[in-house]
C-alpha cells in the first residue's frame, strides 16, 4: 500500500483529532472533578459501547441493537463475582471477576452471533433487539443475580480508586481503553481477517463463492463486537459502582444507537464524538429551565437534524467541511484520503442485501 | 460526505449551521460548569434575598423527583410538597406549576437557592442526578429521591459526600435507613413496611382471611410493603400462599391476574405508579369486582389515582401515613395552604408524595431555624438539630430513631363513596396506629434479611402490639 503524502486535506482531517487527543490527555488540568468524571469519562465508556456498534456496522455491515445487552452481561457478571450489595454472594478478586465478565460476554456474543449470523438487514436488527430485551428481562427477573434494584457498591480493582472522590485514575483507564479499542479496530481492518469481514459486508454471495465461511466470519465479528462492548460494560460498573437492569434497558440501547448515528455510523471516531456531544447535551439541558429537563426532546431534535442533514453524522459534516476547504485551497477536484470505509459502507447499506 | 456540485453549497451551509448549533451546545455545556463556582445564578435557579431582609449566606438546596418513568405523574405533587414550607416562609411560587419552583425563599435570614432535578425511578439515573446536583451545582442539602431502589442507591452515595446533608423525598424501601445507615441521610417519613401496619390484623380478624396472595412491582419498595403485610398477617396465623412480582411499569397484568387462584380469601395489591389503574381495570375485566377481594398499598388512596379509579375501589381497605378525612385543624390548614399556593393540587393533601416531600423540607426549615442557618463544621449543629427534631407535622408528630428514620402514626383506612360531592371517592379512617417504628415491633433489624421476593418468610410469631392477638384490638 502506498502511503499518501501529507496533504492539506489530511492535515485538516487529522489535525483536530490530534488536538482533541492532547486536550483529553491533559483533561484533569482543565476540568473539574465532576466534569472529568460525569461527562468526559462517561463519554469515553459510552463511546466504546458505540464503537462496538460502529465496528459491526461499518466493517461488517451488521447494525446491532444488542451491544448494550452484551456490555450488560459483562457488567453483571463482574458485579456478581465480587463483594457487593445484592446479586450473588461470590467474592472473587476484582481482576479475576473482570476477566470473567469479559469472557462471559464474548461467549454470549458468539452464541447470539451464531444464531443471528444467517440473518441480514432488518431481520438481523430484530434478532439483536430480541437479545437486548431478553437480557434486560433476564436480569430484572432473576433476583439472585440482580432484580430491579441491581447490584450496589461493587468492589473495584484497587487501581480504579474511588470514582467519586478521585476520578483521575478511572479517566485515564477509560482513555487508555478507548485508545486500545480504536487502534485495535483500525489495525484489524487491514488484516486479512478484517478485509474478509469487509468483503462479507459488501457482497456475502461473492465471498461465499470465493470459499469463505460467511456465517462463521459474521459470528466471529459479533464476538469481537461483544469483546469491545464488554470493555464498556466493565468500565460502566467501575464508574457507577453499581449496575441494575435500568442500566441496560431499551432506552440505553437506543441511547447508544443515537450516539453512533450522531457521531457517524460509518466512522469509528464518530463513536466518541457522538458520545461526548450526547453526554454534554444531557448534562447541559438538565440545568436549563427553557427545556424543562426534557433532554429526550432535545436529543431527538438533534438526532432528526443529523439524520436529515448529514446521514454520515457529525463526522460526515466534518468530512464535507474538510473536502470543501481542501478543494478551495488546492483548486483541485476532490481527492479524499482513504480515511475509512465510509463510502463503501454507504453504498453497501443502500443496496439490497442478499439473504 | 461527498458534496455534489449542484446545490452542494446550500447543503454545505445547512450542514455548517447544524455543526455550529451542536458546537454552541457543547461549549455552553462546558461553560455551565464554570458559572457555578462563582455562585452566579444559572437559568434554573432563583436567588432569594431581594427583599433586603435576608442577609445571611446563601444556602443551596437541591430538590429532585421523577420526571420520567412510572412515577412521572407524581412529579407535581412532590415539588408542591417541597415548595410549601418555603411558601409558608414568604417565598412566592413562580407559577401555578409547582415544578417551576419558587423565588425569594428565605429561612432563618438566609436566602435559599433551589436547584431542581429529575430522574426516572432507576437507581443509576437517581445517583447520576444526585451527583450532578451535589458535585456540579454544589448544593448544601439535597431533598430526594422519589422511588424505592433510588433511595438505597442515593443513601449509599451520600456516604461519599460527608459535607452534604441528604433528606429523603418519598422513596420507601426499608434498606435505605435500616441497612445503609448513612450518617448524613435522614428520612422524615415512614418506609413501605411501616405503612402497612394494621392491614394484616384487619385482614385476619375483621375480614376473616386465612389464605392470601400478594402482588407487587418487582423492586425494593413493594418488597418492603409486602414484607410488612406478611410479617403482621403471618405472625397472627395467616398464610400467604403465593407472592407475584410483575415488573415495574408493566402495562398488561392479565397473565398475573390469572395466576391469582380463584379460591383465595383475598390478595394484597402492591402494584404502584402508572400500573395501579391498569391493574384494577384489567382485574375487573377478567375477574369482576375486586373491592371485597383486595387490600391496597399506599397507591390506592392517592388522590390522583383515586380520581382515575372512581367507584371501582369503594370498600377497599388500605393503610398509610396520611388520612384524607382528618379534621385536625393543622391538617385542614395544610390542605388550605396547598390549595392557595397551587390550585391544581387542591385535594391532593393526603398524597404521600406531597406529604413526604413536605415533611422533608419542613424538617430542614425547622432545623435550619434552630441553628440560625449554621452549616459550619460539616453541618454538625444542623444535623444534630435534624436528628433530635420533633416535627409537629399536620398529621401528628414525627421523630427519628437512631438510624435517622421516622417514627410516626399510621392510619388504617377504607375507601368509601363520595361524600364531598367532587365525584371522587373519599377515605374513612378506621384506626390510628400510634408511633409505628421501623423494626415493626421487633420483626426487622439490621441483621434480618432485606425484604425481597421471598423474605420475610411467612411464619407465626410474636404479634405486633397493635393487632388483636398482640393485645391492641
Amino acid at each position: 500500500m502506498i502511503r499518501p503524502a501529507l496533504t492539506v486535506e489530511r492535515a485538516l482531517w487529522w489535525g483536530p483529532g490530534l488536538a482533541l487527543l492532547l486536550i483529553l490527555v491533559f483533561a484533569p488540568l482543565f476540568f473539574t472533578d465532576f466534569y472529568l468524571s460525569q461527562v468526559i469519562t462517561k463519554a469515553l465508556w459510552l463511546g466504546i459501547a458505540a464503537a462496538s456498534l460502529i465496528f459491526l456496522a461499518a466493517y461488517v455491515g451488521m447494525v446491532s441493537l444488542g451491544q448494550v445487552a452484551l456490555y450488560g452481561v459483562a457488567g453483571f457478571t463482574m458485579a456478581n463475582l465480587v463483594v457487593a450489595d445484592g446479586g450473588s454472594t461470590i467474592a472473587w478478586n476484582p481482576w479475576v471477576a473482570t476477566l470473567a465478565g469479559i469472557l462471559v460476554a464474548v461467549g454470549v456474543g458468539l452464541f447470539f452471533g451464531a444464531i443471528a449470523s444467517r440473518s441480514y438487514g432488518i431481520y438481523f436488527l430484530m434478532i439483536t433487539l430480541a437479545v437486548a430485551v431478553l437480557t434486560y428481562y433476564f436480569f430484572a427477573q432473576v433476583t439472585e443475580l440482580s432484580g430491579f434494584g441491581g447490584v450496589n457498591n461493587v468492589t473495584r480493582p484497587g487501581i480504579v480508586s474511588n470514582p467519586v472522590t478521585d476520578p483521575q485514575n478511572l479517566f485515564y483507564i477509560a482513555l487508555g481503553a478507548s485508545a486500545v479499542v480504536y487502534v485495535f479496530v483500525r489495525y484489524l481492518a487491514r488484516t486479512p481477517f478484517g478485509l474478509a469481514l469487509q468483503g462479507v459486508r459488501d457482497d456475502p454471495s461473492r465471498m461465499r463463492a470465493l470459499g469463505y465461511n460467511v456465517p462463521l466470519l459474521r459470528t466471529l465479528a459479533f464476538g469481537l463486537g461483544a469483546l469491545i462492548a464488554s470493555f464498556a460494560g466493565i468500565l460502566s460498573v467501575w464508574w457507577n459502582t453499581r449496575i441494575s437492569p435500568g442500566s441496560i434497558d431499551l432506552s440505553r440501547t437506543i441511547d447508544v444507537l443515537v450516539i453512533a448515528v450522531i457521531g457517524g455510523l460509518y466512522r469509528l471516531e464518530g463513536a466518541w464524538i457522538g458520545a461526548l456531544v450526547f453526554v454534554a447535551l444531557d448534562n447541559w439541558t438538565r440545568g436549563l429551565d427553557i427545556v424543562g429537563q426534557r433532554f429526550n426532546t432535545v436529543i431527538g431534535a438533534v438526532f432528526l437534524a443529523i439524520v436529515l442533514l448529514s446521514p454520515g453524522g457529525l463526522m460526515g459534516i466534518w468530512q464535507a467541511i474538510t473536502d470543501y476547504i481542501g478543494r478551495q485551497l488546492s483548486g483541485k477536484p476532490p481527492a479524499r484520503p482513504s480515511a475509512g470505509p465510509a463510502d463503501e459502507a454507504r453504498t453497501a447499506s443502500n443496496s439490497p442485501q442478499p439473504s | 460526505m461527498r458534496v455534489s456540485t449542484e446545490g452542494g453549497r446550500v447543503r454545505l451551509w445547512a450542514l455548517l449551521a447544524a455543526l455550529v448549533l451542536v458546537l454552541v451546545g457543547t461549549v455552553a455545556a462546558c461553560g455551565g460548569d464554570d458559572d457555578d463556582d462563582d455562585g452566579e445564578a444559572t437559568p434554573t435557579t432563583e436567588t432569594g434575598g431581594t427583599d433586603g431582609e435576608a442577609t445571611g449566606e446563601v444556602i443551596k438546596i437541591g430538590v429532585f423527583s421523577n420526571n420520567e418513568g412510572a412515577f412521572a405523574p407524581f412529579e407535581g405533587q412532590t415539588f408542591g410538597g417541597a415548595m410549601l414550607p418555603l411558601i409558608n416562609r414568604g417565598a412566592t411560587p413562580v407559577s401555578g406549576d409547582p415544578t417551576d419552583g419558587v423565588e425569594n425563599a428565605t429561612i432563618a435570614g438566609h436566602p435559599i437557592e433551589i436547584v431542581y432535578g429529575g430522574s426516572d425511578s432507576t437507581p443509576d439515573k437517581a445517583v447520576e442526578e444526585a451527583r450532578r446536583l451535589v458535585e456540579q451545582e454544589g448544593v448544601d442539602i439535597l431533598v430526594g429521591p422519589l422511588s424505592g431502589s433510588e433511595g438505597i442507591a442515593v443513601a449509599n452515595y451520600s456516604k461519599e459526600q460527608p459535607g452534604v446533608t441528604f433528606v429523603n423525598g418519598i422513596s420507601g424501601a426499608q434498606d435505605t435507613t435500616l441497612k445503609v445507615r448513612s450518617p448524613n441521610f435522614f428520612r422524615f417519613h415512614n418506609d413501605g413496611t411501616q405503612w402497612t401496619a394494621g392491614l394484616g390484623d384487619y385482614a385476619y380478624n375483621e375480614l376473616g382471611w386465612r389464605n392470601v396472595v400478594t402482588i407487587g412491582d418487582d423492586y425494593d419498595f413493594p418488597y418492603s410493603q409486602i414484607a410488612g403485610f406478611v410479617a403482621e398477617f403471618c405472625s397472627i396465623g395467616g398464610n400467604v400462599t403465593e407472592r407475584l412480582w410483575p415488573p415495574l411499569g408493566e402495562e398488561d397484568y392479565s397473565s398475573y391476574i390469572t395466576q391469582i387462584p380463584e379460591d383465595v380469601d383475598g390478595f394484597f395489591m402492591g402494584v404502584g405508579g402508572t400500573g395501579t389503574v391498569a391493574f384494577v381495570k384489567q382485574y375487573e375485566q377478567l375477574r369482576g369486582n375486586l373491592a371485597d377481594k383486595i387490600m391496597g398499598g399506599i397507591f390506592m388512596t392517592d388522590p390522583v389515582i383515586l380520581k382515575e379509579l372512581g367507584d371501582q375501589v369503594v370498600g377497599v381497605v388500605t393503610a398509610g401515613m396520611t388520612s384524607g378525612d382528618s379534621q385536625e385543624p393543622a391538617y385542614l390548614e395544610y390542605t388550605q395552604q396547598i390549595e392557595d399556593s397551587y390550585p391544581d393540587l387542591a385535594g391532593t393533601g393526603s398524597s404521600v408524595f406531597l406529604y413526604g416531600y413536605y415533611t422533608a423540607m419542613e424538617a430542614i426549615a425547622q432545623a435550619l431555624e434552630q441553628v440560625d442557618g449554621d452549616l459550619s463544621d460539616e453541618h454538625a449543629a444542623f444535623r444534630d438539630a435534624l436528628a433530635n427534631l420533633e416535627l409537629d407535622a399536620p398529621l401528628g408528630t414525627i421523630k427519628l430513631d437512631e438510624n435517622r428514620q421516622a417514627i410516626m402514626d399510621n392510619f388504617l383506612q377504607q375507601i368509601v363513596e363520595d361524600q364531598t360531592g367532587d365525584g371522587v371517592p373519599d377515605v374513612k379512617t378506621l384506626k390510628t396506629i400510634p408511633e409505628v417504628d421501623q423494626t415493626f415491633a421487633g420483626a426487622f433489624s439490621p441483621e434480618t434479611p432485606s425484604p425481597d421476593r421471598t423474605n420475610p418468610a411467612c411464619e407465626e410469631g410474636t404479634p405486633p402490639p397493635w393487632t388483636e392477638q398482640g393485645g391492641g384490638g
Side-chain angles (χ1 to χ4, degrees):
Chain A
M1 187 187 291
I2 302 160
R3 287 204 158 273
L6 181 75
T7 62
V8 174
E9 279 164 358
R10 282 183 76 82
L12 275 172
W13 180 253
W14 290 108
L18 285 174
L20 198 64
L21 191 67
L22 264 180
I23 293 177
L24 275 178
V25 169
F26 294 105
L29 298 176
F30 308 135
F31 298 101
T32 60
D33 275 4
F34 172 82
Y35 221 72
L36 188 69
S37 165
Q38 288 294 103
V39 175
I40 301 175
T41 309
K42 186 183 180 188
L44 285 172
W45 65 257
L46 266 177
I48 296 176
S52 77
L53 169 59
I54 291 179
F55 159 70
L56 289 175
Y59 294 92
V60 208
M62 301 156 74
V63 178
S64 161
L65 292 176
Q67 301 314 107
V68 169
L70 291 169
Y71 95 50
V73 170
F76 273 113
T77 308
M78 191 263 163
N80 270 294
L81 293 178
V82 295
V83 178
D85 297 342
S88 79
T89 50
I90 302 171
W92 288 3
N93 178 297
W95 283 115
V96 180
T98 299
L99 190 67
I102 293 172
L103 289 177
V104 170
V106 171
V108 171
L110 287 172
F111 174 72
F112 284 121
I115 293 175
S117 63
R118 287 166 201 279
S119 307
Y120 294 84
I122 188 80
Y123 303 102
F124 179 81
L125 197 76
M126 292 306 289
I127 289 180
T128 54
L129 178 65
V131 171
V133 175
L134 192 80
T135 312
Y136 168 76
Y137 278 110
F138 176 78
F139 287 110
Q141 298 278 307
V142 182
T143 46
E144 288 76 15
L145 295 179
S146 166
F148 184 88
V151 187
N152 289 291
N153 292 329
V154 177
T155 310
R156 305 161 298 275
I159 190 173
V160 179
S161 68
N162 184 328
V164 174
T165 53
D166 185 16
Q168 282 197 19
N169 287 13
L170 188 56
F171 163 74
Y172 281 114
I173 293 170
L175 187 63
S178 300
V180 167
V181 167
Y182 182 76
V183 172
F184 169 73
V185 174
R186 294 297 297 250
Y187 163 78
L188 191 77
R190 291 157 191 245
T191 61
F193 175 66
L195 291 173
L197 291 182
Q198 291 168 71
V200 169
R201 171 197 69 202
D202 292 339
D203 198 336
S205 308
R206 196 177 294 175
M207 289 301 281
R208 204 173 293 125
L210 284 170
Y212 285 94
N213 186 340
V214 172
L216 179 67
L217 281 173
R218 285 168 61 95
T219 305
L220 290 176
F222 203 73
L224 274 175
L227 175 68
I228 300 171
S230 71
F231 288 179
I234 297 291
L235 286 171
S236 85
V237 173
W238 289 357
W239 178 83
N240 263 319
T241 71
R242 69 178 53 75
I243 185 165
S244 68
S247 325
I248 60 161
D249 63 8
L250 212 51
S251 61
R252 315 301 141 173
T253 301
I254 294 169
D255 284 354
V256 168
L257 184 67
V258 166
I259 287 169
V261 171
I262 287 179
L265 196 48
Y266 300 108
R267 286 285 187 188
L268 197 56
E269 303 84 357
W272 288 277
I273 302 291
L276 197 61
V277 169
F278 183 91
V279 178
L281 268 179
D282 185 5
N283 185 265
W284 174 53
T285 53
R286 278 178 176 278
L288 270 193
D289 217 20
I290 332 159
V291 283
Q293 302 176 7
R294 298 304 187 270
F295 163 69
N296 286 332
T297 316
V298 176
I299 201 73
V302 172
F303 181 77
L304 202 63
I306 295 273
V307 170
L308 286 176
L309 292 172
S310 167
L314 290 175
M315 292 307 290
I317 294 178
W318 184 240
Q319 178 85 64
I321 292 169
T322 51
D323 276 1
Y324 180 76
I325 298 175
R327 219 167 39 246
Q328 295 296 313
L329 288 179
S330 61
K332 279 187 295 187
R336 239 193 46 222
S338 58
D343 278 346
E344 301 91 308
R346 207 170 301 123
T347 327
S349 67
N350 289 340
S351 62
Q353 295 281 7
S355 51
Chain B
M1 157 147 303
R2 204 176 294 268
V3 181
S4 68
T5 39
E6 309 153 39
R9 201 154 292 197
V10 179
R11 198 170 160 86
L12 184 65
W13 282 119
L15 293 182
L16 270 175
L19 183 69
V20 166
L21 268 178
V22 171
L23 281 180
V24 165
T26 317
V27 169
C30 302
D33 185 40
D34 303 330
D35 291 346
D36 304 311
D37 300 333
D38 321 327
E40 280 173 32
T42 59
T44 39
T45 56
E46 285 88 31
T47 314
T50 47
D51 52 2
E53 191 190 316
T55 49
E57 221 168 286
V58 175
I59 296 174
K60 260 193 171 186
I61 302 181
V63 182
F64 79 115
S65 167
N66 280 5
N67 57 3
E68 288 177 61
F71 300 107
F74 304 105
E75 189 190 13
Q77 296 179 22
T78 53
F79 277 100
M83 294 305 122
L84 194 57
L86 300 172
I87 295 167
N88 289 343
R89 285 167 177 76
T92 43
V94 173
S95 75
D97 178 359
T99 58
D100 286 340
V102 293
E103 44 195 14
N104 302 327
T106 57
I107 296 175
H110 289 261
I112 302 295
E113 188 179 328
I114 309 276
V115 191
Y116 309 90
S119 69
D120 63 359
S121 86
T122 64
D124 288 41
K125 202 76 181 176
V127 170
E128 209 172 286
E129 193 64 358
R131 289 194 62 177
R132 182 182 75 84
L133 293 168
V134 169
E135 295 168 42
Q136 190 178 25
E137 301 288 349
V139 299
D140 302 300
I141 301 163
L142 184 61
V143 178
L146 182 148
S147 184
S149 297
E150 292 185 319
I152 297 175
V154 171
N156 274 309
Y157 166 69
S158 71
K159 290 180 176 172
E160 314 272 358
Q161 296 292 350
V164 177
T165 299
F166 293 72
V167 181
N168 188 59
I170 190 62
S171 88
Q174 189 187 69
D175 280 7
T176 310
T177 44
L178 191 64
K179 293 279 159 60
V180 179
R181 287 183 286 175
S182 166
N184 51 333
F185 189 97
F186 299 76
R187 180 155 64 183
F188 279 90
H189 65 79
N190 276 355
D191 71 10
T193 308
Q194 293 166 286
W195 283 337
T196 60
L199 278 180
D201 177 45
Y202 191 86
Y204 192 90
N205 294 316
E206 299 291 327
L207 299 175
W209 289 1
R210 293 296 178 267
N211 293 310
V212 167
V213 169
T214 67
I215 179 164
D217 305 303
D218 199 0
Y219 77 104
D220 294 287
F221 171 66
Y223 293 161
S224 298
Q225 264 211 312
I226 285 168
F229 178 79
V230 168
E232 184 174 323
F233 184 65
C234 294
S235 77
I236 53 180
N239 185 25
V240 173
T241 54
E242 206 170 339
R243 307 178 200 193
L244 301 170
W245 304 105
L248 177 64
E250 177 66 72
E251 277 157 16
D252 181 4
Y253 290 97
S254 51
S255 64
Y256 296 95
I257 293 168
T258 50
Q259 285 179 57
I260 300 172
E262 300 261 12
D263 59 350
V264 290
D265 298 319
F267 62 99
F268 180 90
M269 214 295 271
V271 174
T274 47
T276 311
V277 176
F279 180 91
V280 169
K281 295 202 160 142
Q282 286 163 18
Y283 187 92
E284 184 141 68
Q285 284 161 6
L286 282 163
R287 289 273 176 93
N289 194 292
L290 47 51
D292 57 344
K293 273 281 195 187
I294 68 168
M295 302 203 115
I298 49 121
F299 287 99
M300 303 288 278
T301 44
D302 183 90
V304 172
I305 289 185
L306 209 47
K307 203 169 168 177
E308 284 277 324
L309 292 176
D311 291 340
Q312 284 167 305
V313 289
V314 167
V316 171
V317 174
T318 72
M321 66 170 176
T322 59
S323 68
D325 62 337
S326 170
Q327 296 300 317
E328 292 290 324
Y331 179 72
L332 297 178
E333 192 189 339
Y334 154 83
T335 53
Q336 190 59 46
Q337 285 163 351
I338 296 164
E339 198 172 332
D340 293 345
S341 309
Y342 296 112
D344 287 353
L345 292 182
T348 62
S350 63
S351 153
V352 294
F353 296 98
L354 210 154
Y355 197 61
Y357 273 77
Y358 170 83
T359 54
M361 190 62 92
E362 182 65 29
I364 291 169
Q366 290 192 14
L368 281 176
E369 279 160 357
Q370 278 185 23
V371 298
D372 288 326
D374 174 19
L375 293 180
S376 59
D377 193 19
E378 291 204 328
H379 302 193
F382 169 60
R383 282 179 198 167
D384 202 45
L386 270 183
N388 295 309
L389 192 66
E390 290 220 356
L391 184 65
D392 208 4
L395 287 164
T397 309
I398 301 171
K399 56 187 181 191
L400 300 187
D401 66 15
E402 72 275 12
N403 297 330
R404 291 154 299 283
Q405 160 65 40
I407 301 172
M408 63 195 284
D409 297 350
N410 203 48
F411 303 96
L412 187 72
Q413 48 204 315
Q414 187 165 31
I415 301 171
V416 294
E417 274 176 35
D418 178 32
Q419 280 145 12
T420 49
D422 56 1
V424 181
D426 291 321
V427 295
K428 189 175 103 193
T429 301
L430 303 174
K431 187 177 167 185
T432 303
I433 296 125
E435 298 191 0
V436 179
D437 79 311
Q438 191 174 29
T439 69
F440 216 61
F444 300 100
S445 74
E447 283 73 43
T448 51
S450 299
D452 60 17
R453 285 181 172 188
T454 49
N455 279 311
C458 183
E459 286 163 350
E460 243 178 285
T462 320
W466 56 80
T467 59
E468 199 179 303
Q469 284 78 354

